[in-house]
Amino acid sequence: MSRFRILAVLAMIGVLVSCLSPAQARQPGIEAFVQAPNLRHARLSPDGTRLAFTTEQDGVSVLIVRDLASGEIQGSRIDDLRTHGLRWANDRILLLTASEVTDIWGVEGRVDYRALLAFDTAGGMSYRQLLRRSNRLGLNLNLAGIAGIDTQTGRLMIPAFDDDRRLNLLSVDPAEGTARTAARGSRDTRDWVVDASGQPAARIDYSNNRNRQTLRIPGEGGGWAAIDQDERERPSYSLRGFLPDGRLAVSTRPIPGQNAPDRRSGLFVLSLETGELGETLFEHAQYDYSRTVMDPYTNLVVGVAWTEDFEQTTWFDPDLAARQDIVDASLPGQNARMQSWDRNRTRFVVVAETSDMPPVYYLYDVQAQSIDLLGAAYPDITLDVLQPRQHIRYEARDGVSIEAYLTQPAGEGPFPTVVLPHGGPASRDSGGYDDFAHYLASRGYAVVQPNFRGSSGYGYRWLEAGYGEWGTGVMQHDLSDAVDRLVNAGITAPDRVCIVGASYGGYAALAGLAFTPDLYACGISVAGVSDLPDMMGYVRERYGPSHWILDSWERRLSGSDEAQTQAALRAVSPAAHAERISAPVLLIHGRNDTVVPIDQSRIMERALRRENHDVQLITLDDGDHWLTSTEMRRRVLSEIETFLAEHIGE
């Protein structure tokens, strides 16, 4: 290690010096917080000579490929798309996963359609959309799921529904865009996995009518043989990939019995002979498994990730584990993870962050024994600006310990405070940079983000604890108790608290105003649900009366009996209790929201106006559910800042 060139501190200085002028080092304006990351989805080419990433220039999203030796770059505009990731198909073809809100024949309303764009980096960055037109395709909302790559031909293995609603596995040429069927599924097929060579190796079928999952593997005569024929109850699982020793890894969330100990979702070995779960590959004592880490060149599972405060990785591959140890020693005090590597594992892209530092990207060169700065995700935000997002715990009224994130402004409290519940609700907040929390803290507000019961990441019992607890139950109590604890600690001014949230967080904001009206001085709902019976009707119409999404909504809200569900939904719908709201309300909603329709905010606005309450609805003409564009984020943060300043600011 003595010869290893450690540049962590110099890199941080480089971010400040090279990216900012002295004038910029002062408190950043709103633009620093609403801009898209300056460097995102960074991926090394298989030969390790080039770096691909997305960025934003003058409000326009751009895909960049940079030669690491010469610095030469080439790019392509990708505006109007929501990007999800990059992957090299080979040294020439770069794949971008992107989605857009659009109309699709046969689907009610607008939808978020996800696809693969293949860029020819040796052909002027020309590109084609893969699987755009094919007589083999039926209705697909996602044609970007790559199960693996055929290591002999380089063809992509992509699941796709045909016009008979069977989920087949297609073999797609990334350069020409031609496709053929590699394996046929059935109408019950839900999942595919390929082996190390990229060939179809197993699939999962699920019957809605029988509520039964079946593992199938290639059988004689080209058929697919069922492994688990019995009717025993077993945990449902998802196929993740093969280990280097040929065993199949699956993720599962065991549902504990009444007297069984709580378990977290984990990664396990699944027998291809019996269909039984075997060895535990990973199961954390406190936190759920979150994702598998795949080697893009071998189709094999090489690690597993979970989120404690920051995302952590357990590497199954000894070589990658050793590389991680070197990275950790070279970047002390930073949460660093290896995001990409070349096929020979001589170069790695490393992304690191802390509670008060946005992500910074490094290039780890094994042969040169160096870790050098590639760039900062948010170069206009310097180390002397952000307050740390503290990972805290507080005690709820029933004695349960709740994890949360607290971001305090500079100075001494008590502060005006924003309660910022996450969406989902089966989601969670984690550590590191948060544009909303850090921006509001920079404007003088304390911000608390509880991982209330009903959040994901903490095991099945924690998630299930939120079932039937919307609005007036423990999910909302956990938010209220956070305010009480912060007031008692002298951090929060009790008469200057506002609840702000998006999606489920928007619902929680409206529920807080309706069911605990004395707690909040104001509330802001961004793309929030307000009328649960109406929302359930939207889900039923969109997905059908027997779809698992509808069942999931009913189970999470109040149970499976429809009459009981309707009564329960009305009881916890903020729009049905508008007369109880006394604080000012700001509603923000995009017209192109494909998750929560804008009618939910319009219903809430009408209900409040009937009661002569203080309410404002701001509609974003091209706004989606995720606030994709910089302009959307700028408008939303600006309106939130103005509203907060009026009602709880200095």
Side-chain angles (χ1 to χ4, degrees):
M1 286 296 296
S2 60
R3 294 188 298 113
F4 203 90
R5 185 151 45 99
I6 301 173
L7 298 178
V9 176
L10 294 179
M12 289 299 93
I13 295 173
V15 172
L16 299 179
V17 174
S18 65
C19 297
L20 297 175
S21 68
Q24 288 175 304
R26 295 192 297 267
Q27 182 81 341
I30 191 172
E31 294 302 320
F33 294 91
V34 302
Q35 66 177 342
N38 192 57
L39 200 160
R40 189 182 183 198
H41 305 315
R43 293 294 185 273
L44 282 169
S45 60
D47 61 10
T49 63
R50 290 174 295 167
L51 180 73
F53 59 94
T54 62
T55 187
E56 187 172 287
Q57 298 177 359
D58 299 325
V60 176
S61 296
V62 181
L63 172 62
I64 297 290
V65 176
R66 186 173 84 194
D67 187 288
L68 292 172
S70 67
E72 180 182 352
I73 66 171
Q74 51 183 329
S76 176
R77 288 179 57 141
I78 51 172
D79 46 326
D80 299 327
L81 295 175
R82 187 160 60 97
T83 61
H84 303 280
L86 290 172
R87 176 173 179 169
W88 291 86
N90 50 52
D91 285 321
R92 176 170 181 165
I93 303 299
L94 177 63
L95 306 172
L96 171 69
T97 301
S99 63
E100 65 177 344
V101 176
T102 185
D103 295 303
I104 292 183
W105 184 86
V107 178
E108 181 73 23
R110 309 200 81 192
V111 297
D112 193 59
Y113 174 74
R114 187 174 297 202
L116 277 175
L117 303 181
F119 289 81
D120 186 350
T121 64
M125 294 294 283
S126 61
Y127 71 91
R128 69 172 72 244
Q129 181 179 321
L130 300 183
L131 296 177
R132 184 169 187 173
R133 296 182 180 89
S134 172
N135 56 11
R136 295 182 177 90
L137 294 182
L139 175 61
N140 289 273
L141 300 184
N142 182 5
L143 287 171
I146 301 175
I149 295 182
D150 186 324
T151 56
Q152 294 297 316
T153 66
R155 296 174 71 94
L156 311 175
M157 309 301 284
I158 301 176
F161 288 102
D162 63 16
D163 54 7
D164 195 33
R165 293 182 294 156
R166 296 172 300 185
L167 185 67
N168 300 322
L169 191 63
L170 302 185
S171 173
V172 182
D173 186 313
E176 301 298 329
T178 57
R180 61 172 181 258
T181 301
R184 295 189 181 278
S186 72
R187 291 188 177 185
D188 289 338
T189 302
R190 296 293 180 267
D191 202 3
W192 285 95
V193 69
V194 300
D195 60 19
S197 66
Q199 299 306 303
R203 82 180 201 223
I204 289 293
D205 289 356
Y206 177 77
S207 170
N208 278 321
N209 295 332
R210 293 188 296 163
N211 192 26
R212 180 165 173 229
Q213 182 168 292
T214 303
L215 171 68
R216 295 183 182 273
I217 61 173
E220 296 181 1
W224 286 80
I227 298 300
D228 50 346
Q229 295 283 0
D230 58 79
E231 296 290 342
R232 287 176 295 167
E233 290 185 4
R234 64 183 67 234
S236 62
Y237 49 79
S238 297
L239 305 176
R240 294 306 177 189
F242 285 87
L243 299 163
D245 60 11
R247 294 181 299 167
L248 177 61
V250 300
S251 64
T252 181
R253 183 186 298 277
I255 300 176
Q258 184 174 1
N259 299 317
D262 188 16
R263 298 182 65 181
R264 309 295 182 260
S265 64
L267 199 67
F268 302 87
V269 171
L270 184 74
S271 170
L272 289 178
E273 287 74 37
T274 66
E276 296 289 338
L277 293 177
E279 178 187 345
T280 299
L281 296 170
F282 175 85
E283 188 178 26
H284 197 279
Q286 292 179 274
Y287 301 99
D288 285 327
Y289 146 97
S290 58
R291 65 182 180 91
T292 45
V293 184
M294 308 294 294
D295 187 317
Y297 310 108
T298 66
N299 300 313
L300 295 177
V301 176
V302 292
V304 60
W306 80 98
T307 300
E308 188 171 340
D309 181 5
F310 293 84
E311 184 177 87
Q312 309 290 325
T313 305
T314 293
W315 296 101
F316 302 145
D317 185 295
D319 175 62
L320 293 173
R323 298 301 171 200
Q324 182 71 60
D325 289 341
I326 292 174
V327 167
D328 290 340
S330 304
L331 300 173
Q334 301 182 45
N335 295 276
R337 55 187 174 87
M338 300 186 302
Q339 179 170 287
S340 174
W341 51 87
D342 63 4
R343 66 166 63 91
N344 294 322
R345 298 184 181 177
T346 61
R347 283 179 162 178
F348 293 78
V349 170
V350 176
V351 58
E353 61 181 326
T354 69
S355 63
D356 57 355
M357 180 188 79
V360 176
Y361 290 82
Y362 300 91
L363 180 66
Y364 166 27
D365 191 309
V366 175
Q367 295 176 344
Q369 296 188 347
S370 63
I371 294 183
D372 296 307
L373 179 69
L374 285 171
Y378 298 92
D380 291 340
I381 300 177
T382 64
L383 286 176
D384 58 340
V385 168
L386 298 184
Q387 297 296 312
R389 284 179 72 233
Q390 300 168 275
H391 188 204
I392 66 169
R393 283 186 175 272
Y394 64 92
E395 189 174 283
R397 64 189 66 182
D398 56 1
V400 172
S401 178
I402 311 293
E403 283 193 3
Y405 289 87
L406 174 64
T407 314
Q408 300 183 64
E412 298 293 329
F415 304 105
T417 296
V418 172
V419 180
L420 189 63
H422 61 69
S427 178
R428 61 158 291 180
D429 283 306
S430 57
Y433 175 70
D434 184 287
D435 51 0
F436 272 57
H438 275 122
Y439 179 68
L440 294 176
S442 75
R443 268 51 189 171
Y445 303 98
V447 182
V448 62
Q449 298 168 277
N451 282 328
F452 45 84
R453 276 166 280 190
S455 301
S456 61
Y458 300 90
Y460 184 81
R461 291 198 191 282
W462 191 263
L463 181 72
E464 188 184 38
Y467 290 1
E469 298 292 325
W470 288 44
T472 58
V474 296
M475 295 175 76
Q476 202 72 33
H477 297 335
D478 289 348
L479 300 177
S480 302
D481 293 344
V483 176
D484 182 66
R485 302 303 177 263
L486 292 178
V487 169
N488 291 339
I491 295 171
T492 290
D495 58 343
R496 300 167 69 193
V497 181
C498 191
I499 183 167
V500 181
S503 195
Y504 172 82
Y507 165 83
L510 297 175
L513 296 176
F515 304 121
T516 53
D518 296 332
L519 192 61
Y520 300 110
C522 62
I524 303 174
S525 170
V526 181
V529 176
S530 69
D531 186 317
L532 289 168
D534 185 84
M535 185 67 197
M536 288 292 288
Y538 170 81
V539 173
R540 184 178 292 105
E541 181 178 356
R542 192 173 184 83
Y543 297 102
S546 61
H547 200 282
W548 66 268
I549 291 180
L550 183 65
D551 292 339
S552 176
W553 269 84
E554 291 178 340
R555 184 171 66 255
R556 291 179 187 278
L557 286 167
S558 62
S560 60
D561 180 80
E562 186 170 353
Q564 178 187 1
T565 298
Q566 289 298 310
L569 295 182
R570 284 191 294 271
V572 293
S573 291
H577 302 276
E579 77 284 353
R580 301 181 59 175
I581 296 176
S582 56
V585 180
L586 175 63
L587 306 170
I588 304 175
H589 218 124
R591 295 183 186 274
N592 287 339
D593 195 323
T594 60
V595 179
V596 178
I598 193 173
D599 284 348
Q600 286 291 310
S601 286
R602 290 170 173 158
I603 289 170
M604 192 70 213
E605 181 196 28
R606 290 195 296 268
L608 288 168
R609 292 204 182 281
R610 283 195 296 268
E611 301 296 331
N612 296 315
H613 285 323
D614 185 353
V615 60
Q616 180 185 8
L617 171 60
I618 295 173
T619 58
L620 308 175
D621 288 342
D622 296 319
D624 58 19
H625 192 71
W626 305 274
L627 306 180
T628 297
S629 74
T630 297
E631 180 54 40
M632 282 183 240
R633 294 189 295 275
R634 181 188 298 111
R635 177 78 187 279
V636 170
L637 271 185
S638 177
E639 295 290 354
I640 288 175
E641 181 182 9
T642 300
F643 185 82
L644 292 176
E646 179 181 355
H647 297 291
I648 63 170
E650 295 293 348

